Amino acid sequence: MKFNERVFSGMQPTGSLHLGNYLGAMLKWIDLQKTHECIYCVVDLHAITVWQDPEELRRSIRQVTAAYMAAGLDPEKSILFNQSQVSAHAELAWIFNCVARLGWLNRMTQFKEKAGKDRENASVGLYAYPNLMAADILAYRATHVPVGDDQKQHLELARDIAQKFNNDFGDSIRAAGYEDGEFFPQPEPVIVGPATRVMSLRDGTRKMSKSEPSDLSRINLTDDNDAISKKIRKAKTDPEALPGETDGLAGRPEADNLVGIYAALAGIAKSEVLSEFGGRQFSDFKPALADLCVAQLGPIADEARRLMDDPAEIDRVLVDGADRARRIADPILGEAKEIIGFIRSSS
Ligand code: AMP
Ligand code: TRP
């Protein structure tokens, strides 16, 4: 089957969004709206794989929705909704629990990181998390998935699940009229640009993350201008001047990270940043980087705050998005169930 190009991605409604989310995911999502049919999902079912305070979860779902809208995600053009409103995600995830193999999930590095030493005490949901992610994507037969570098392994698993489903049910899929036996596409990761992996401002070898204890390690989308400037001023660097060419960034993770952030914010290549700043000290470069950051993130934070003043309007956006999402996912799930051999309900 020739699959139409369709974009799907998801973000967790936990903690605050940071510059890594903005550059690694948000900017690309917003850009793809210009060229593709896009479906964007606040993955609240994924969020509860670790315990969430109910009031805090409700607030985070709205806050993440507001941040994406403030950054330019247009809920009229794209579909924006929260996962738990569309039951096809959970249903298809169960089916995929029965397609994916234990051995595949045992290789997932994110589970190992998140479960840590106390593995026995991790939820079963945290372990099966990648199967739900595959269901998110394949419930829409999405072909392109913009994510940061850390999601690559999960995307490979989604491809393996799609392929195994197609193989396991090949005859039934063909009998349903798919002559080439392909019911699910192989979704492709879209991991491009100068900032697919934004690193901590305190340690260029660690990923910028919401779980890092030091707030100085990341720029939050809710930080005010002073906080942004201070964090960049205090960012770890080395004593050398900036190199003139990208080769000169090798072995200098902090310099590489700051140059990558500048490039991504300015929408240019790292080499262009270095042709402007090569030979100059960090004391010159950091204020320019702070100005750029403040100019881009400041208005987004203001707009997100404004949207949060009207939670009913955010909820309305999510309900409308879920209605539109269901219209795509339900028929695909219905066909998948028939292919497996379930008897369909009349509705
Ligand atoms: P999460 O906050 O883990 O739900 O991630 C949401 C999106 O942001 C995913 O597409 C991640 O790959 C991306 N992301 C998270 N942290 C970073 C980072 N430090 N650099 C680049 N992308 C990131
Ligand atoms: N696991 C992703 C993350 O932590 C979020 C996610 C859930 C997702 N479902 C998805 C991303 C489907 C892309 C497609 O960032």
Side-chain angles (χ1 to χ4, degrees), residues 12 18 20-21 24-25 147-148 150-151 195-198 207-208 210:
Q12 297 213 48
H18 54 73
N21 302 128
V147 281
D150 56 352
Q151 295 301 312
T196 54
R197 192 172 170 83
V198 178
K207 196 177 70 167
M208 183 178 286
K210 54 191 155 208

Side-chain angles (χ1 to χ4, degrees), residues 203-233:
D203 177 352
T205 63
R206 292 169 67 88
K207 196 177 70 167
M208 183 178 286
S209 146
K210 54 191 155 208
S211 52
E212 186 70 33
S214 165
D215 197 53
L216 282 176
S217 70
R218 69 185 153 260
I219 292 174
N220 302 303
L221 258 50
T222 46
D223 283 346
D224 62 23
N225 298 354
D226 286 347
I228 294 175
S229 301
K230 177 175 147 204
K231 287 176 181 180
I232 292 180
R233 202 168 55 241

Side-chain angles (χ1 to χ4, degrees), residues 9-12 14 17-25 29 68 110 114 129 146-151 195-199 207-210:
S9 198
M11 64 290 199
Q12 297 213 48
T14 43
L17 292 166
H18 54 73
L19 190 65
N21 302 128
Y22 179 66
L23 298 177
W29 294 19
Y68 273 78
Q110 187 168 303
K114 286 199 179 169
Y129 176 116
V147 281
D149 182 69
D150 56 352
Q151 295 301 312
T196 54
R197 192 172 170 83
V198 178
M199 308 309 277
K207 196 177 70 167
M208 183 178 286
S209 146
K210 54 191 155 208

Side-chain angles (χ1 to χ4, degrees), residues 46 61 66 75 106 132 269 279 305 318-319 332:
H46 278 107
I61 294 168
N106 285 339
L132 176 59
R305 265 190 293 274
L318 292 173
V319 166
I332 295 174

Side-chain angles (χ1 to χ4, degrees), residues 19 201-202 208 215-219 223 225-237 258 261-262 265 282-295 297:
L19 190 65
L201 298 180
R202 305 302 297 163
M208 183 178 286
D215 197 53
L216 282 176
S217 70
R218 69 185 153 260
I219 292 174
D223 283 346
N225 298 354
D226 286 347
I228 294 175
S229 301
K230 177 175 147 204
K231 287 176 181 180
I232 292 180
R233 202 168 55 241
K234 287 186 172 268
K236 187 176 168 202
T237 48
L258 294 183
I261 292 174
Y262 190 104
L265 286 170
F282 282 104
S283 51
D284 269 356
F285 180 63
K286 280 180 167 180
L289 178 59
D291 287 348
L292 191 58
C293 232
V294 164
L297 301 187

Side-chain angles (χ1 to χ4, degrees), residues 1 27 86 109 123 138 148 188 201 292 295 298 334 337:
M1 163 161 175
L27 275 184
V86 178
T109 54
S123 73
L138 296 172
E188 281 176 35
L201 298 180
L292 191 58
K337 286 164 118 175

